[in-house]
């Protein structure tokens, strides 16, 4: 079983791509660097709580959707 950071990041990437949003656009909407988004998507780092809320808002999903992954 992969770590929650990897699963979260993979799901975040899927959501972002399904909405045709680039890492740059998501980073700008959340006030973080592209490197931060990349690190989260690769499971290298987990986002802080405030960023989770910003990610959900930028992707137009409820916060709970960010944690709805099966793998």
């Amino acid at each position: 079983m992969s770590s929650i950071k990897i699963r979260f990041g993979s799901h975040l990437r899927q959501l972002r791509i399904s909405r045709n949003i680039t890492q740059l656009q998501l980073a700008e909407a959340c006030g973080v660097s592209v490197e931060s988004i990349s690190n989260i998507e690769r499971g290298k780092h987990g986002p802080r709580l405030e960023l989770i809320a910003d990610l959900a808002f930028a992707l137009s999903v409820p916060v709970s959707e960010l944690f709805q992954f099966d793998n």
Side-chain angles (χ1 to χ4, degrees), residues 47-63:
R48 65 188 194 289
L49 290 174
E50 293 84 1
L51 182 52
I52 291 171
D54 292 341
L55 290 166
F57 182 78
L59 295 169
S60 300
V61 297
V63 170

Side-chain angles (χ1 to χ4, degrees), residues 1-69:
M1 176 184 260
S2 29
S3 79
I4 191 165
K5 286 192 289 189
I6 291 171
R7 293 175 9 202
F8 181 93
S10 176
H11 186 60
L12 176 65
R13 183 174 189 272
Q14 290 172 2
L15 288 171
R16 177 182 60 76
I17 290 171
S18 73
R19 284 156 177 74
N20 295 315
I21 297 172
T22 66
Q23 284 185 340
L24 177 60
Q25 290 169 323
L26 185 57
E28 288 176 346
C30 294
V32 298
S33 68
V34 174
E35 183 179 7
S36 292
I37 298 298
S38 176
N39 286 338
I40 292 167
E41 287 187 356
R42 289 182 290 129
K44 193 170 182 182
H45 298 292
R48 65 188 194 289
L49 290 174
E50 293 84 1
L51 182 52
I52 291 171
D54 292 341
L55 290 166
F57 182 78
L59 295 169
S60 300
V61 297
V63 170
S64 61
E65 172 66 22
L66 295 176
F67 295 94
Q68 292 178 5
F69 42 81

